[in-house]
Amino acid sequence: MKIMANRMDLGFKMHQDEYEEAALRVLRSGWYILGKEVDAFEEEYAAFHGEGFSCAGVANGLDALVLAVRAMGIGEGDEVIVQGNTYIASVMGISINGATPVFVEPDEHHQIDVSKIEAAITDRTKAVMVVHLYGHICDMDKITGICKKHNLKLVEDCAQAHGAKWKGKLAGTFGDAGCFSFYPSKNIGAFGDAGAVISPDPELIKKVKVIRNYGSGKRYYNEVVGVNSRLDEMQAALLSVRMKYIGEITEERRKIAAVYNEKITNPAIVKPVQQEGGYEVYHQYVIRSERRDELIEYLKEKEIGTIIHYPVPPHLQQAYEYLGHKKGDLPISERYADEVLSIPMYNGMSDEEQQYVIDALNAF
Ligand SMILES: *Cc1c(COP(=O)(O)O)cnc(C)c1O
């Protein structure tokens, strides 16, 4: 049986008629950028996160981070704390603005180790960026407490955590901005690039909307040097369809994860640790193994696809050589890079497919 690490076709096929209808509606409308589809999606997406939230659609998840950080006035000379094992985009969201990413090691949940944040704060620290990696969620009580105490902004990178909750409260609603990617493989995926920023502060969202459109609030009047990072009508219309099913999408992923949790019994494999108070959405199901590379080859022979999220931690990437880090600076992040493995997890995965993966893992 051939099983891919991830599949995007099945989620489309589940509600194909609705997606096609939305796409045709946009094609026939004659209006393709910043129109009523984007307005409607922004309104829905804000409302999903609760009363009092505003939303700005942007071109992708990286821009959601870049524009949110910029709208907070964070830049040259400022430091932003972020976890060492995150996807590169979190870090670029900071550094593209000229600010310096300061890395903190992850805990056993692969989330930022809350107990190590305060030691990383300096008088240049302006914000903490938490990343709800793999669809797990950080201890937001402790993190919001630290940010309040030290008067720091809180940015949530929710690219992997649509609908995740901490004690019943949704990811993205804890701080000054929640930044989302709708890259096709994310839990809430568009059919191309797309992203969004949500915030309880309408002024921040207004700033993001100005920056995303050439720094222009009023057409042809430019307040700041902005960028072109608009969400387009097509993606917004398709995302409105996808959002109708966020409950189903999440529950199905949680069910798949629960079966993996129960049935993977091989002691050579460390399963993800659930956190009390967390409602995980399993963007990835990430195991760890000291024999990770051997495991990949073994699974490949059985035609089971896997992905490493991520093989090189940001502080050791060539792009961040200028920060002056060296191997050994973040031993936990580095060990995770050597041991993590995302096994097949996607909406539409059949019981037979999952059992085949489980049997293979247990026989390793
Ligand atoms: C995918 C992702 C992003 C960036 O999203 P894009 O839409 O690909 O730009 C940012 N942060 C994390 C953690 C991600 O997984």
Side-chain angles (χ1 to χ4, degrees):
M1 203 181 318
K2 189 176 162 70
I3 302 178
M4 299 204 286
N6 191 9
R7 289 185 63 168
M8 287 168 269
D9 56 327
L10 299 174
F12 164 67
K13 282 181 191 143
M14 255 176 251
H15 303 288
Q16 182 166 348
D17 290 351
E18 285 182 78
Y19 288 121
E20 289 179 354
E21 195 191 306
L24 277 176
R25 183 176 73 236
V26 174
L27 287 174
R28 289 169 178 168
S29 73
W31 194 276
Y32 306 112
I33 301 278
L34 295 186
K36 59 179 194 254
E37 300 287 351
V38 171
D39 286 345
F41 176 70
E42 286 175 341
E43 224 164 88
E44 286 162 28
Y45 204 65
F48 172 80
H49 289 90
E51 221 174 302
F53 279 87
S54 309
C55 173
V58 293
N60 54 66
L62 171 61
D63 282 356
L65 294 162
V66 172
L67 269 55
V69 168
R70 180 172 163 186
M72 287 173 193
I74 295 170
E76 208 79 44
D78 298 330
E79 294 177 355
V80 178
I81 289 170
V82 66
Q83 70 198 64
N85 62 329
T86 188
Y87 180 51
I88 201 76
S90 320
V91 185
M92 289 191 177
I94 299 164
S95 68
I96 286 172
N97 284 298
T100 303
V102 174
F103 298 107
V104 167
E105 290 272 53
D107 62 13
E108 75 273 23
H109 308 283
H110 300 122
Q111 310 305 304
I112 193 165
D113 188 334
V114 179
S115 71
K116 293 178 181 161
I117 293 178
E118 285 194 292
I121 295 173
T122 71
D123 46 11
R124 293 173 167 232
T125 310
K126 288 286 167 357
V128 176
M129 181 185 288
V130 296
V131 187
H132 304 298
L133 202 65
Y134 310 145
H136 286 244
I137 188 146
C138 307
D139 182 333
M140 295 311 294
D141 292 330
K142 289 191 182 146
I143 288 170
T144 49
I146 291 169
C147 289
K148 258 202 197 98
K149 182 174 154 196
H150 296 273
N151 196 23
L152 302 176
K153 299 274 187 201
L154 174 59
V155 185
E156 294 178 75
D157 180 345
C158 306
Q160 305 190 358
H162 317 74
K165 291 176 214 166
W166 171 254
K167 297 184 179 166
K169 192 169 151 62
L170 284 163
T173 66
F174 288 88
D176 300 279
C179 301
F180 293 84
S181 164
F182 306 114
Y183 184 80
S185 68
K186 309 288 184 182
N187 287 21
I188 297 299
F191 295 81
D193 277 311
V197 182
I198 63 164
S199 175
D201 176 6
E203 287 306 309
L204 185 95
I205 293 301
K206 215 161 122 190
K207 276 187 197 157
V208 170
K209 286 186 176 176
V210 165
I211 299 168
R212 78 173 174 191
N213 196 23
Y214 302 113
S216 156
K218 186 174 161 200
R219 199 167 195 194
Y220 303 134
Y221 291 81
N222 306 85
E223 303 162 29
V224 293
V225 179
V227 296
N228 176 354
S229 180
R230 299 172 299 221
L231 174 64
D232 63 68
E233 289 282 282
M234 179 68 80
Q235 299 308 332
L238 295 167
L239 282 166
S240 289
V241 175
R242 187 85 80 182
M243 272 305 287
K244 287 183 9 194
Y245 301 105
I246 184 168
E248 287 170 30
I249 289 167
T250 303
E251 277 312 312
E252 187 185 357
R253 301 183 85 90
R254 285 174 57 83
K255 216 176 97 199
I256 294 168
V259 173
Y260 275 144
N261 287 344
E262 185 196 331
K263 295 195 174 167
I264 298 171
T265 52
N266 189 331
I269 290 165
V270 180
K271 291 180 281 186
V273 188
Q274 275 64 235
Q275 183 156 244
E276 210 178 316
Y279 176 86
E280 296 90 358
V281 298
Y282 290 97
H283 175 56
Q284 304 293 345
Y285 190 91
V286 179
I287 59 171
R288 290 204 312 269
S289 176
E290 286 173 15
R291 294 160 59 202
R292 195 262 318 267
D293 295 343
E294 200 188 321
L295 179 58
I296 293 172
E297 285 310 310
Y298 163 87
L299 292 172
K300 201 189 261 171
E301 269 167 36
K302 298 192 176 300
E303 294 193 302
I304 297 172
T306 55
I307 306 177
I308 301 170
H309 295 105
Y310 300 91
V312 181
H315 73 285
L316 298 179
Q317 293 282 2
Q318 192 187 336
Y320 288 111
E321 244 172 38
Y322 72 92
L323 292 174
H325 289 288
K326 57 184 188 312
K327 213 170 159 74
D329 283 358
L330 296 166
I332 302 170
S333 301
E334 292 165 26
R335 179 160 64 80
Y336 285 178
D338 290 337
E339 293 185 358
V340 292
L341 190 64
S342 304
I343 61 175
M345 159 66 82
Y346 47 85
N347 289 101
M349 188 180 203
S350 72
D351 294 346
E352 294 72 37
E353 287 174 327
Q354 194 180 10
Q355 192 58 50
Y356 180 75
V357 175
I358 292 164
D359 290 341
L361 287 170
N362 286 339
F364 172 65

